[in-house]
């Protein structure tokens, strides 16, 4: 997904619900921010302040490895980790949602692709 791209509301192919702002990737079986993810989030917070954006929504995702129940918690934990980081920087959080085993950016056929899918996304909108 690219910055500025809209995520459509469920069952509504016409009106965008969320506008994608940024994403950070996670290591396998982890909801801890990497150094690279922290740097990216710090830069995004500065951008949000410059643009006058005061609140965002955060969505967490997993790859296709593991049980659905486990991935449900992991996806939510990833979103919560990013939300806490942003909130500590003064960004208001509208919602924090885990979306396990769905919404893949690429197929899960390789370790590299699965890494791309293990992410949390920041969106503008409600």
């Amino acid at each position: 997904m690219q910055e500025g791209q809209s995520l459509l509301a469920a069952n509504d192919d016409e009106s965008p619900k969320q506008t994608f702002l940024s994403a950070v990737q996670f290591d396998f079986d982890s909801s801890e921010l990497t150094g690279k993810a922290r740097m990216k989030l710090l830069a995004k917070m500065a951008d949000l302040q410059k643009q006058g954006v005061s609140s965002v929504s955060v969505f967490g995702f997993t790859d296709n490895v593991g049980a659905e129940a486990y991935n449900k918690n992991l996806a939510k934990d990833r979103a919560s980790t990013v939300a806490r980081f942003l909130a500590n920087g003064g960004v208001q959080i509208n919602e924090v949602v885990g979306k396990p085993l769905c919404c893949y950016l690429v197929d899960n056929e390789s370790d590299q692709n699965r890494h791309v899918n293990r992410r949390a996304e920041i969106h503008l909108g409600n």
Side-chain angles (χ1 to χ4, degrees):
M1 192 166 245
Q2 296 183 2
E3 287 190 26
Q5 188 174 354
S6 296
L7 181 69
L8 297 178
N11 300 321
D12 185 354
D13 293 332
E14 305 269 332
S15 60
K17 180 180 180 190
Q18 304 279 337
T19 300
F20 174 77
L21 297 175
S22 189
V24 294
Q25 270 65 44
F26 289 86
D27 290 334
F28 179 74
D29 195 28
S30 176
S31 61
E32 292 184 31
L33 293 173
T34 63
K36 183 177 179 179
R38 288 178 184 277
M39 296 301 293
K40 188 170 184 178
L41 289 173
L42 287 170
K44 182 47 67 177
M45 283 192 299
D47 288 345
L48 293 173
Q49 288 175 338
K50 285 180 190 174
Q51 297 170 13
V53 174
S54 60
S55 63
V56 298
S57 297
V58 182
F59 299 90
F61 301 89
T62 64
D63 58 26
N64 67 342
V65 176
E68 183 173 355
Y70 180 82
N71 278 313
K72 182 177 181 180
N73 290 329
L74 183 57
K76 179 73 175 209
D77 288 348
R78 287 173 175 166
S80 295
T81 296
V82 170
R84 268 191 310 277
F85 189 90
L86 294 172
N88 287 338
V91 178
Q92 180 180 333
I93 307 299
N94 291 329
E95 64 181 329
V96 178
V97 178
K99 294 182 167 248
L101 303 172
C102 86
C103 314
Y104 303 122
L105 298 176
V106 294
D107 67 55
N108 283 291
E109 298 300 317
S110 69
D111 288 338
Q112 184 177 6
N113 282 5
R114 285 188 290 277
H115 180 73
V116 170
N117 290 325
R118 294 189 302 262
R119 68 196 188 282
E121 295 179 354
I122 304 165
H123 290 259
L124 177 63
N126 53 7

